[in-house]
PDB file of all heavy atoms in Angstrom:
ATOM      1  N   GLU A 131    -128.578  65.696 -89.531  1.00 93.00           N
ATOM      2  CA  GLU A 131    -129.274  64.590 -90.214  1.00 93.00           C
ATOM      3  C   GLU A 131    -130.076  65.155 -91.376  1.00 93.00           C
ATOM      4  O   GLU A 131    -130.003  64.651 -92.525  1.00 93.00           O
ATOM      5  CB  GLU A 131    -130.179  63.914 -89.202  1.00 93.00           C
ATOM      6  CG  GLU A 131    -130.843  62.639 -89.692  1.00 93.00           C
ATOM      7  CD  GLU A 131    -131.934  62.168 -88.712  1.00 93.00           C
ATOM      8  OE1 GLU A 131    -131.588  62.003 -87.522  1.00 93.00           O
ATOM      9  OE2 GLU A 131    -133.104  62.040 -89.121  1.00 93.00           O
ATOM     10  N   LEU A 132    -130.784  66.296 -91.139  1.00 95.00           N
ATOM     11  CA  LEU A 132    -131.576  66.851 -92.211  1.00 95.00           C
ATOM     12  C   LEU A 132    -130.658  67.362 -93.321  1.00 95.00           C
ATOM     13  O   LEU A 132    -130.959  67.205 -94.497  1.00 95.00           O
ATOM     14  CB  LEU A 132    -132.402  68.030 -91.664  1.00 95.00           C
ATOM     15  CG  LEU A 132    -133.619  67.721 -90.799  1.00 95.00           C
ATOM     16  CD1 LEU A 132    -134.066  68.932 -90.056  1.00 95.00           C
ATOM     17  CD2 LEU A 132    -134.750  67.137 -91.647  1.00 95.00           C
ATOM     18  N   CYS A 133    -129.540  67.972 -92.970  1.00 94.00           N
ATOM     19  CA  CYS A 133    -128.577  68.450 -94.002  1.00 94.00           C
ATOM     20  C   CYS A 133    -128.078  67.290 -94.845  1.00 94.00           C
ATOM     21  O   CYS A 133    -127.923  67.386 -96.053  1.00 94.00           O
ATOM     22  CB  CYS A 133    -127.369  69.174 -93.341  1.00 94.00           C
ATOM     23  SG  CYS A 133    -127.774  70.754 -92.646  1.00 94.00           S
ATOM     24  N   ASP A 134    -127.690  66.218 -94.159  1.00 89.00           N
ATOM     25  CA  ASP A 134    -127.081  65.049 -94.923  1.00 89.00           C
ATOM     26  C   ASP A 134    -128.093  64.378 -95.779  1.00 89.00           C
ATOM     27  O   ASP A 134    -127.727  63.936 -96.884  1.00 89.00           O
ATOM     28  CB  ASP A 134    -126.538  64.032 -93.834  1.00 89.00           C
ATOM     29  CG  ASP A 134    -125.289  64.552 -93.148  1.00 89.00           C
ATOM     30  OD1 ASP A 134    -124.746  65.534 -93.654  1.00 89.00           O
ATOM     31  OD2 ASP A 134    -124.944  64.014 -92.058  1.00 89.00           O
ATOM     32  N   GLU A 135    -129.323  64.230 -95.301  1.00 89.00           N
ATOM     33  CA  GLU A 135    -130.285  63.487 -96.077  1.00 89.00           C
ATOM     34  C   GLU A 135    -131.001  64.339 -97.139  1.00 89.00           C
ATOM     35  O   GLU A 135    -131.433  63.827 -98.172  1.00 89.00           O
ATOM     36  CB  GLU A 135    -131.330  62.777 -95.167  1.00 89.00           C
ATOM     37  CG  GLU A 135    -130.673  61.670 -94.372  1.00 89.00           C
ATOM     38  CD  GLU A 135    -131.572  60.998 -93.391  1.00 89.00           C
ATOM     39  OE1 GLU A 135    -132.741  61.409 -93.273  1.00 89.00           O
ATOM     40  OE2 GLU A 135    -131.062  60.118 -92.690  1.00 89.00           O
ATOM     41  N   GLY A 136    -131.123  65.625 -96.871  1.00 91.00           N
ATOM     42  CA  GLY A 136    -131.798  66.538 -97.815  1.00 91.00           C
ATOM     43  C   GLY A 136    -133.267  66.196 -97.966  1.00 91.00           C
ATOM     44  O   GLY A 136    -133.814  65.329 -97.248  1.00 91.00           O
ATOM     45  N   SER A 137    -133.890  66.849 -98.930  1.00 91.00           N
ATOM     46  CA  SER A 137    -135.305  66.683 -99.114  1.00 91.00           C
ATOM     47  C   SER A 137    -135.568  65.727-100.246  1.00 91.00           C
ATOM     48  O   SER A 137    -134.805  65.682-101.222  1.00 91.00           O
ATOM     49  CB  SER A 137    -135.929  68.050 -99.437  1.00 91.00           C
ATOM     50  OG  SER A 137    -137.085  67.894-100.275  1.00 91.00           O
ATOM     51  N   GLU A 138    -136.645  64.937-100.169  1.00 86.00           N
ATOM     52  CA  GLU A 138    -136.974  64.077-101.274  1.00 86.00           C
ATOM     53  C   GLU A 138    -138.055  64.697-102.113  1.00 86.00           C
ATOM     54  O   GLU A 138    -138.519  64.042-103.097  1.00 86.00           O
ATOM     55  CB  GLU A 138    -137.382  62.682-100.756  1.00 86.00           C
ATOM     56  CG  GLU A 138    -136.161  61.895-100.283  1.00 86.00           C
ATOM     57  CD  GLU A 138    -136.487  60.578 -99.667  1.00 86.00           C
ATOM     58  OE1 GLU A 138    -137.705  60.228 -99.638  1.00 86.00           O
ATOM     59  OE2 GLU A 138    -135.589  59.920 -99.274  1.00 86.00           O
ATOM     60  N   GLY A 139    -138.522  65.823-101.716  1.00 79.00           N
ATOM     61  CA  GLY A 139    -139.644  66.477-102.469  1.00 79.00           C
ATOM     62  C   GLY A 139    -139.218  66.959-103.845  1.00 79.00           C
ATOM     63  O   GLY A 139    -138.029  67.059-104.093  1.00 79.00           O
ATOM     64  N   ASN A 140    -140.187  67.194-104.667  1.00 78.00           N
ATOM     65  CA  ASN A 140    -139.909  67.652-106.031  1.00 78.00           C
ATOM     66  C   ASN A 140    -139.824  69.149-106.177  1.00 78.00           C
ATOM     67  O   ASN A 140    -139.363  69.723-107.151  1.00 78.00           O
ATOM     68  CB  ASN A 140    -141.003  67.122-107.022  1.00 78.00           C
ATOM     69  CG  ASN A 140    -140.935  65.627-107.105  1.00 78.00           C
ATOM     70  OD1 ASN A 140    -139.813  65.035-107.045  1.00 78.00           O
ATOM     71  ND2 ASN A 140    -142.021  64.953-107.259  1.00 78.00           N
ATOM     72  N   LYS A 141    -140.322  69.833-105.119  1.00 82.00           N
ATOM     73  CA  LYS A 141    -140.397  71.308-105.199  1.00 82.00           C
ATOM     74  C   LYS A 141    -138.952  71.869-105.094  1.00 82.00           C
ATOM     75  O   LYS A 141    -138.258  71.516-104.121  1.00 82.00           O
ATOM     76  CB  LYS A 141    -141.233  71.793-104.005  1.00 82.00           C
ATOM     77  CG  LYS A 141    -141.688  73.259-104.157  1.00 82.00           C
ATOM     78  CD  LYS A 141    -142.679  73.609-103.022  1.00 82.00           C
ATOM     79  CE  LYS A 141    -142.405  74.964-102.581  1.00 82.00           C
ATOM     80  NZ  LYS A 141    -142.070  75.087-101.188  1.00 82.00           N
ATOM     81  N   PRO A 142    -138.546  72.668-106.041  1.00 88.00           N
ATOM     82  CA  PRO A 142    -137.173  73.212-105.912  1.00 88.00           C
ATOM     83  C   PRO A 142    -137.034  74.158-104.725  1.00 88.00           C
ATOM     84  O   PRO A 142    -137.815  75.112-104.615  1.00 88.00           O
ATOM     85  CB  PRO A 142    -136.970  73.972-107.276  1.00 88.00           C
ATOM     86  CG  PRO A 142    -138.301  74.159-107.841  1.00 88.00           C
ATOM     87  CD  PRO A 142    -139.247  73.199-107.194  1.00 88.00           C
ATOM     88  N   VAL A 143    -136.175  73.848-103.802  1.00 94.00           N
ATOM     89  CA  VAL A 143    -136.004  74.648-102.610  1.00 94.00           C
ATOM     90  C   VAL A 143    -134.560  74.543-102.177  1.00 94.00           C
ATOM     91  O   VAL A 143    -133.936  73.560-102.417  1.00 94.00           O
ATOM     92  CB  VAL A 143    -136.990  74.173-101.532  1.00 94.00           C
ATOM     93  CG1 VAL A 143    -136.772  72.777-101.158  1.00 94.00           C
ATOM     94  CG2 VAL A 143    -136.963  75.106-100.279  1.00 94.00           C
ATOM     95  N   SER A 144    -134.030  75.585-101.551  1.00 96.00           N
ATOM     96  CA  SER A 144    -132.668  75.508-101.075  1.00 96.00           C
ATOM     97  C   SER A 144    -132.550  74.655 -99.820  1.00 96.00           C
ATOM     98  O   SER A 144    -133.509  74.533 -99.101  1.00 96.00           O
ATOM     99  CB  SER A 144    -132.115  76.943-100.787  1.00 96.00           C
ATOM    100  OG  SER A 144    -132.668  77.407 -99.665  1.00 96.00           O
ATOM    101  N   LEU A 145    -131.360  74.115 -99.604  1.00 96.00           N
ATOM    102  CA  LEU A 145    -131.139  73.306 -98.373  1.00 96.00           C
ATOM    103  C   LEU A 145    -131.364  74.168 -97.121  1.00 96.00           C
ATOM    104  O   LEU A 145    -131.941  73.686 -96.149  1.00 96.00           O
ATOM    105  CB  LEU A 145    -129.752  72.685 -98.431  1.00 96.00           C
ATOM    106  CG  LEU A 145    -129.514  71.625 -97.353  1.00 96.00           C
ATOM    107  CD1 LEU A 145    -130.297  70.425 -97.614  1.00 96.00           C
ATOM    108  CD2 LEU A 145    -127.983  71.234 -97.358  1.00 96.00           C
ATOM    109  N   GLY A 146    -130.896  75.427 -97.246  1.00 97.00           N
ATOM    110  CA  GLY A 146    -131.080  76.340 -96.090  1.00 97.00           C
ATOM    111  C   GLY A 146    -132.536  76.500 -95.720  1.00 97.00           C
ATOM    112  O   GLY A 146    -132.913  76.398 -94.574  1.00 97.00           O
ATOM    113  N   GLU A 147    -133.356  76.754 -96.734  1.00 97.00           N
ATOM    114  CA  GLU A 147    -134.802  76.969 -96.469  1.00 97.00           C
ATOM    115  C   GLU A 147    -135.446  75.706 -95.946  1.00 97.00           C
ATOM    116  O   GLU A 147    -136.228  75.718 -94.989  1.00 97.00           O
ATOM    117  CB  GLU A 147    -135.404  77.391 -97.836  1.00 97.00           C
ATOM    118  CG  GLU A 147    -136.725  78.132 -97.710  1.00 97.00           C
ATOM    119  CD  GLU A 147    -137.325  78.407 -99.090  1.00 97.00           C
ATOM    120  OE1 GLU A 147    -136.531  78.588-100.054  1.00 97.00           O
ATOM    121  OE2 GLU A 147    -138.537  78.442 -99.184  1.00 97.00           O
ATOM    122  N   TYR A 148    -135.085  74.579 -96.586  1.00 97.00           N
ATOM    123  CA  TYR A 148    -135.662  73.283 -96.204  1.00 97.00           C
ATOM    124  C   TYR A 148    -135.339  72.939 -94.761  1.00 97.00           C
ATOM    125  O   TYR A 148    -136.232  72.688 -93.926  1.00 97.00           O
ATOM    126  CB  TYR A 148    -135.139  72.172 -97.149  1.00 97.00           C
ATOM    127  CG  TYR A 148    -135.481  70.768 -96.702  1.00 97.00           C
ATOM    128  CD1 TYR A 148    -136.741  70.257 -96.755  1.00 97.00           C
ATOM    129  CD2 TYR A 148    -134.456  69.986 -96.205  1.00 97.00           C
ATOM    130  CE1 TYR A 148    -137.032  69.010 -96.274  1.00 97.00           C
ATOM    131  CE2 TYR A 148    -134.731  68.697 -95.736  1.00 97.00           C
ATOM    132  CZ  TYR A 148    -136.006  68.212 -95.773  1.00 97.00           C
ATOM    133  OH  TYR A 148    -136.235  66.955 -95.323  1.00 97.00           O
ATOM    134  N   VAL A 149    -134.059  72.987 -94.416  1.00 97.00           N
ATOM    135  CA  VAL A 149    -133.598  72.623 -93.014  1.00 97.00           C
ATOM    136  C   VAL A 149    -134.204  73.589 -92.025  1.00 97.00           C
ATOM    137  O   VAL A 149    -134.631  73.187 -90.948  1.00 97.00           O
ATOM    138  CB  VAL A 149    -132.078  72.474 -92.926  1.00 97.00           C
ATOM    139  CG1 VAL A 149    -131.698  72.227 -91.510  1.00 97.00           C
ATOM    140  CG2 VAL A 149    -131.599  71.383 -93.836  1.00 97.00           C
ATOM    141  N   THR A 150    -134.143  74.897 -92.344  1.00 98.00           N
ATOM    142  CA  THR A 150    -134.679  75.921 -91.368  1.00 98.00           C
ATOM    143  C   THR A 150    -136.149  75.543 -91.056  1.00 98.00           C
ATOM    144  O   THR A 150    -136.549  75.521 -89.890  1.00 98.00           O
ATOM    145  CB  THR A 150    -134.588  77.301 -91.979  1.00 98.00           C
ATOM    146  OG1 THR A 150    -133.207  77.540 -92.257  1.00 98.00           O
ATOM    147  CG2 THR A 150    -135.099  78.381 -90.988  1.00 98.00           C
ATOM    148  N   ASN A 151    -136.957  75.293 -92.125  1.00 97.00           N
ATOM    149  CA  ASN A 151    -138.385  75.019 -91.893  1.00 97.00           C
ATOM    150  C   ASN A 151    -138.597  73.708 -91.086  1.00 97.00           C
ATOM    151  O   ASN A 151    -139.326  73.699 -90.115  1.00 97.00           O
ATOM    152  CB  ASN A 151    -139.120  74.866 -93.213  1.00 97.00           C
ATOM    153  CG  ASN A 151    -139.248  76.228 -93.933  1.00 97.00           C
ATOM    154  OD1 ASN A 151    -139.112  77.283 -93.256  1.00 97.00           O
ATOM    155  ND2 ASN A 151    -139.477  76.223 -95.199  1.00 97.00           N
ATOM    156  N   GLU A 152    -137.894  72.632 -91.541  1.00 97.00           N
ATOM    157  CA  GLU A 152    -138.092  71.333 -90.881  1.00 97.00           C
ATOM    158  C   GLU A 152    -137.596  71.392 -89.411  1.00 97.00           C
ATOM    159  O   GLU A 152    -138.265  70.842 -88.480  1.00 97.00           O
ATOM    160  CB  GLU A 152    -137.273  70.270 -91.595  1.00 97.00           C
ATOM    161  CG  GLU A 152    -137.735  69.910 -92.985  1.00 97.00           C
ATOM    162  CD  GLU A 152    -139.106  69.187 -92.998  1.00 97.00           C
ATOM    163  OE1 GLU A 152    -139.245  68.303 -92.177  1.00 97.00           O
ATOM    164  OE2 GLU A 152    -139.973  69.584 -93.778  1.00 97.00           O
ATOM    165  N   LEU A 153    -136.436  72.075 -89.190  1.00 98.00           N
ATOM    166  CA  LEU A 153    -135.895  72.058 -87.826  1.00 98.00           C
ATOM    167  C   LEU A 153    -136.739  72.954 -86.937  1.00 98.00           C
ATOM    168  O   LEU A 153    -136.902  72.610 -85.743  1.00 98.00           O
ATOM    169  CB  LEU A 153    -134.432  72.553 -87.904  1.00 98.00           C
ATOM    170  CG  LEU A 153    -133.640  72.269 -86.616  1.00 98.00           C
ATOM    171  CD1 LEU A 153    -133.496  70.760 -86.349  1.00 98.00           C
ATOM    172  CD2 LEU A 153    -132.191  72.872 -86.722  1.00 98.00           C
ATOM    173  N   THR A 154    -137.208  74.099 -87.434  1.00 97.00           N
ATOM    174  CA  THR A 154    -138.086  74.923 -86.610  1.00 97.00           C
ATOM    175  C   THR A 154    -139.311  74.185 -86.137  1.00 97.00           C
ATOM    176  O   THR A 154    -139.749  74.231 -85.015  1.00 97.00           O
ATOM    177  CB  THR A 154    -138.489  76.157 -87.434  1.00 97.00           C
ATOM    178  OG1 THR A 154    -137.358  76.753 -87.991  1.00 97.00           O
ATOM    179  CG2 THR A 154    -139.236  77.170 -86.596  1.00 97.00           C
ATOM    180  N   GLU A 155    -139.830  73.367 -87.083  1.00 97.00           N
ATOM    181  CA  GLU A 155    -141.033  72.579 -86.744  1.00 97.00           C
ATOM    182  C   GLU A 155    -140.697  71.495 -85.677  1.00 97.00           C
ATOM    183  O   GLU A 155    -141.423  71.273 -84.719  1.00 97.00           O
ATOM    184  CB  GLU A 155    -141.555  71.905 -88.086  1.00 97.00           C
ATOM    185  CG  GLU A 155    -142.861  71.213 -88.033  1.00 97.00           C
ATOM    186  CD  GLU A 155    -144.031  72.078 -87.575  1.00 97.00           C
ATOM    187  OE1 GLU A 155    -143.874  73.325 -87.566  1.00 97.00           O
ATOM    188  OE2 GLU A 155    -145.025  71.498 -87.093  1.00 97.00           O
ATOM    189  N   TYR A 156    -139.518  70.914 -85.908  1.00 98.00           N
ATOM    190  CA  TYR A 156    -139.035  69.830 -84.982  1.00 98.00           C
ATOM    191  C   TYR A 156    -138.916  70.464 -83.514  1.00 98.00           C
ATOM    192  O   TYR A 156    -139.343  69.859 -82.532  1.00 98.00           O
ATOM    193  CB  TYR A 156    -137.700  69.293 -85.468  1.00 98.00           C
ATOM    194  CG  TYR A 156    -137.070  68.245 -84.582  1.00 98.00           C
ATOM    195  CD1 TYR A 156    -137.503  66.927 -84.602  1.00 98.00           C
ATOM    196  CD2 TYR A 156    -136.035  68.604 -83.695  1.00 98.00           C
ATOM    197  CE1 TYR A 156    -136.879  65.956 -83.821  1.00 98.00           C
ATOM    198  CE2 TYR A 156    -135.454  67.638 -82.893  1.00 98.00           C
ATOM    199  CZ  TYR A 156    -135.852  66.314 -82.995  1.00 98.00           C
ATOM    200  OH  TYR A 156    -135.271  65.358 -82.146  1.00 98.00           O
ATOM    201  N   ILE A 157    -138.265  71.634 -83.508  1.00 98.00           N
ATOM    202  CA  ILE A 157    -138.042  72.280 -82.162  1.00 98.00           C
ATOM    203  C   ILE A 157    -139.407  72.632 -81.544  1.00 98.00           C
ATOM    204  O   ILE A 157    -139.621  72.427 -80.372  1.00 98.00           O
ATOM    205  CB  ILE A 157    -137.187  73.574 -82.362  1.00 98.00           C
ATOM    206  CG1 ILE A 157    -135.811  73.182 -82.818  1.00 98.00           C
ATOM    207  CG2 ILE A 157    -137.107  74.355 -81.051  1.00 98.00           C
ATOM    208  CD1 ILE A 157    -134.903  74.324 -83.268  1.00 98.00           C
ATOM    209  N   ARG A 158    -140.265  73.157 -82.401  1.00 97.00           N
ATOM    210  CA  ARG A 158    -141.614  73.596 -81.870  1.00 97.00           C
ATOM    211  C   ARG A 158    -142.310  72.350 -81.224  1.00 97.00           C
ATOM    212  O   ARG A 158    -142.928  72.508 -80.133  1.00 97.00           O
ATOM    213  CB  ARG A 158    -142.444  74.136 -83.015  1.00 97.00           C
ATOM    214  CG  ARG A 158    -143.675  75.024 -82.601  1.00 97.00           C
ATOM    215  CD  ARG A 158    -144.384  75.534 -83.803  1.00 97.00           C
ATOM    216  NE  ARG A 158    -144.920  74.441 -84.636  1.00 97.00           N
ATOM    217  CZ  ARG A 158    -146.061  73.759 -84.332  1.00 97.00           C
ATOM    218  NH1 ARG A 158    -146.676  73.983 -83.242  1.00 97.00           N
ATOM    219  NH2 ARG A 158    -146.458  72.807 -85.151  1.00 97.00           N
ATOM    220  N   LYS A 159    -142.256  71.220 -81.906  1.00 97.00           N
ATOM    221  CA  LYS A 159    -142.926  70.073 -81.340  1.00 97.00           C
ATOM    222  C   LYS A 159    -142.199  69.365 -80.215  1.00 97.00           C
ATOM    223  O   LYS A 159    -142.792  68.976 -79.216  1.00 97.00           O
ATOM    224  CB  LYS A 159    -143.144  69.019 -82.445  1.00 97.00           C
ATOM    225  CG  LYS A 159    -144.240  69.362 -83.428  1.00 97.00           C
ATOM    226  CD  LYS A 159    -144.575  68.222 -84.311  1.00 97.00           C
ATOM    227  CE  LYS A 159    -145.622  68.600 -85.335  1.00 97.00           C
ATOM    228  NZ  LYS A 159    -145.394  67.950 -86.581  1.00 97.00           N
ATOM    229  N   LYS A 160    -140.864  69.195 -80.348  1.00 97.00           N
ATOM    230  CA  LYS A 160    -140.146  68.384 -79.384  1.00 97.00           C
ATOM    231  C   LYS A 160    -139.487  69.168 -78.255  1.00 97.00           C
ATOM    232  O   LYS A 160    -139.427  68.700 -77.120  1.00 97.00           O
ATOM    233  CB  LYS A 160    -139.015  67.574 -80.127  1.00 97.00           C
ATOM    234  CG  LYS A 160    -138.620  66.393 -79.331  1.00 97.00           C
ATOM    235  CD  LYS A 160    -137.949  65.294 -80.104  1.00 97.00           C
ATOM    236  CE  LYS A 160    -137.436  64.242 -79.100  1.00 97.00           C
ATOM    237  NZ  LYS A 160    -136.164  63.733 -79.477  1.00 97.00           N
ATOM    238  N   HIS A 161    -139.113  70.404 -78.548  1.00 97.00           N
ATOM    239  CA  HIS A 161    -138.432  71.188 -77.510  1.00 97.00           C
ATOM    240  C   HIS A 161    -139.063  72.616 -77.487  1.00 97.00           C
ATOM    241  O   HIS A 161    -138.367  73.594 -77.796  1.00 97.00           O
ATOM    242  CB  HIS A 161    -136.916  71.296 -77.758  1.00 97.00           C
ATOM    243  CG  HIS A 161    -136.257  69.963 -77.894  1.00 97.00           C
ATOM    244  ND1 HIS A 161    -136.135  69.073 -76.865  1.00 97.00           N
ATOM    245  CD2 HIS A 161    -135.635  69.367 -78.942  1.00 97.00           C
ATOM    246  CE1 HIS A 161    -135.520  67.966 -77.249  1.00 97.00           C
ATOM    247  NE2 HIS A 161    -135.172  68.133 -78.537  1.00 97.00           N
ATOM    248  N   PRO A 162    -140.356  72.740 -77.167  1.00 96.00           N
ATOM    249  CA  PRO A 162    -140.997  74.008 -77.243  1.00 96.00           C
ATOM    250  C   PRO A 162    -140.309  75.109 -76.408  1.00 96.00           C
ATOM    251  O   PRO A 162    -140.341  76.315 -76.782  1.00 96.00           O
ATOM    252  CB  PRO A 162    -142.435  73.759 -76.784  1.00 96.00           C
ATOM    253  CG  PRO A 162    -142.427  72.394 -76.146  1.00 96.00           C
ATOM    254  CD  PRO A 162    -141.259  71.669 -76.678  1.00 96.00           C
ATOM    255  N   GLU A 163    -139.673  74.655 -75.347  1.00 94.00           N
ATOM    256  CA  GLU A 163    -138.998  75.672 -74.471  1.00 94.00           C
ATOM    257  C   GLU A 163    -137.839  76.405 -75.196  1.00 94.00           C
ATOM    258  O   GLU A 163    -137.478  77.539 -74.856  1.00 94.00           O
ATOM    259  CB  GLU A 163    -138.481  75.032 -73.179  1.00 94.00           C
ATOM    260  CG  GLU A 163    -137.279  74.065 -73.248  1.00 94.00           C
ATOM    261  CD  GLU A 163    -137.595  72.680 -73.896  1.00 94.00           C
ATOM    262  OE1 GLU A 163    -138.666  72.492 -74.417  1.00 94.00           O
ATOM    263  OE2 GLU A 163    -136.668  71.841 -73.891  1.00 94.00           O
ATOM    264  N   ILE A 164    -137.262  75.721 -76.229  1.00 95.00           N
ATOM    265  CA  ILE A 164    -136.155  76.325 -76.970  1.00 95.00           C
ATOM    266  C   ILE A 164    -136.665  77.238 -78.088  1.00 95.00           C
ATOM    267  O   ILE A 164    -136.024  78.223 -78.513  1.00 95.00           O
ATOM    268  CB  ILE A 164    -135.246  75.238 -77.596  1.00 95.00           C
ATOM    269  CG1 ILE A 164    -134.605  74.374 -76.467  1.00 95.00           C
ATOM    270  CG2 ILE A 164    -134.102  75.815 -78.431  1.00 95.00           C
ATOM    271  CD1 ILE A 164    -133.637  75.075 -75.577  1.00 95.00           C
ATOM    272  N   ALA A 165    -137.927  76.922 -78.584  1.00 94.00           N
ATOM    273  CA  ALA A 165    -138.449  77.661 -79.696  1.00 94.00           C
ATOM    274  C   ALA A 165    -138.403  79.149 -79.485  1.00 94.00           C
ATOM    275  O   ALA A 165    -138.218  79.970 -80.401  1.00 94.00           O
ATOM    276  CB  ALA A 165    -139.863  77.185 -80.023  1.00 94.00           C
ATOM    277  N   GLU A 166    -138.615  79.604 -78.210  1.00 93.00           N
ATOM    278  CA  GLU A 166    -138.647  81.034 -77.885  1.00 93.00           C
ATOM    279  C   GLU A 166    -137.233  81.591 -77.807  1.00 93.00           C
ATOM    280  O   GLU A 166    -137.050  82.824 -77.772  1.00 93.00           O
ATOM    281  CB  GLU A 166    -139.374  81.262 -76.531  1.00 93.00           C
ATOM    282  CG  GLU A 166    -140.851  80.850 -76.578  1.00 93.00           C
ATOM    283  CD  GLU A 166    -141.562  81.467 -77.818  1.00 93.00           C
ATOM    284  OE1 GLU A 166    -141.384  82.684 -78.079  1.00 93.00           O
ATOM    285  OE2 GLU A 166    -142.216  80.694 -78.584  1.00 93.00           O
ATOM    286  N   ASP A 167    -136.188  80.741 -77.628  1.00 94.00           N
ATOM    287  CA  ASP A 167    -134.857  81.225 -77.461  1.00 94.00           C
ATOM    288  C   ASP A 167    -134.220  81.486 -78.846  1.00 94.00           C
ATOM    289  O   ASP A 167    -133.452  80.704 -79.393  1.00 94.00           O
ATOM    290  CB  ASP A 167    -134.064  80.122 -76.712  1.00 94.00           C
ATOM    291  CG  ASP A 167    -132.601  80.606 -76.412  1.00 94.00           C
ATOM    292  OD1 ASP A 167    -132.215  81.680 -76.944  1.00 94.00           O
ATOM    293  OD2 ASP A 167    -131.902  79.844 -75.748  1.00 94.00           O
ATOM    294  N   LYS A 168    -134.654  82.612 -79.438  1.00 94.00           N
ATOM    295  CA  LYS A 168    -134.321  82.917 -80.804  1.00 94.00           C
ATOM    296  C   LYS A 168    -132.784  82.961 -81.056  1.00 94.00           C
ATOM    297  O   LYS A 168    -132.281  82.534 -82.103  1.00 94.00           O
ATOM    298  CB  LYS A 168    -134.865  84.270 -81.250  1.00 94.00           C
ATOM    299  CG  LYS A 168    -136.377  84.352 -81.078  1.00 94.00           C
ATOM    300  CD  LYS A 168    -137.071  84.059 -82.417  1.00 94.00           C
ATOM    301  CE  LYS A 168    -138.565  84.224 -82.356  1.00 94.00           C
ATOM    302  NZ  LYS A 168    -139.335  83.092 -81.728  1.00 94.00           N
ATOM    303  N   GLU A 169    -132.036  83.438 -80.050  1.00 93.00           N
ATOM    304  CA  GLU A 169    -130.562  83.560 -80.190  1.00 93.00           C
ATOM    305  C   GLU A 169    -129.962  82.167 -80.373  1.00 93.00           C
ATOM    306  O   GLU A 169    -129.163  81.947 -81.263  1.00 93.00           O
ATOM    307  CB  GLU A 169    -130.066  84.250 -78.930  1.00 93.00           C
ATOM    308  CG  GLU A 169    -128.534  84.153 -78.686  1.00 93.00           C
ATOM    309  CD  GLU A 169    -127.741  85.050 -79.661  1.00 93.00           C
ATOM    310  OE1 GLU A 169    -128.328  85.937 -80.267  1.00 93.00           O
ATOM    311  OE2 GLU A 169    -126.513  84.794 -79.745  1.00 93.00           O
ATOM    312  N   THR A 170    -130.362  81.199 -79.530  1.00 93.00           N
ATOM    313  CA  THR A 170    -129.820  79.848 -79.623  1.00 93.00           C
ATOM    314  C   THR A 170    -130.188  79.184 -80.920  1.00 93.00           C
ATOM    315  O   THR A 170    -129.350  78.597 -81.646  1.00 93.00           O
ATOM    316  CB  THR A 170    -130.289  78.979 -78.466  1.00 93.00           C
ATOM    317  OG1 THR A 170    -129.824  79.607 -77.239  1.00 93.00           O
ATOM    318  CG2 THR A 170    -129.752  77.583 -78.505  1.00 93.00           C
TER     319      THR A 170
END
Side-chain angles (χ1 to χ4, degrees):
E131 184 190 308
L132 287 166
C133 288
D134 289 343
E135 289 176 2
S137 151
E138 284 177 2
N140 293 326
K141 197 172 140 240
V143 60
S144 73
L145 192 64
E147 201 183 329
Y148 167 73
V149 175
T150 302
N151 289 341
E152 293 290 316
L153 195 61
T154 307
E155 189 58 17
Y156 178 80
I157 295 170
R158 198 180 60 76
K159 283 193 182 144
K160 201 160 173 219
H161 305 294
E163 71 285 8
I164 299 293
E166 295 312 310
D167 183 354
K168 302 265 184 280
E169 165 74 16
T170 298

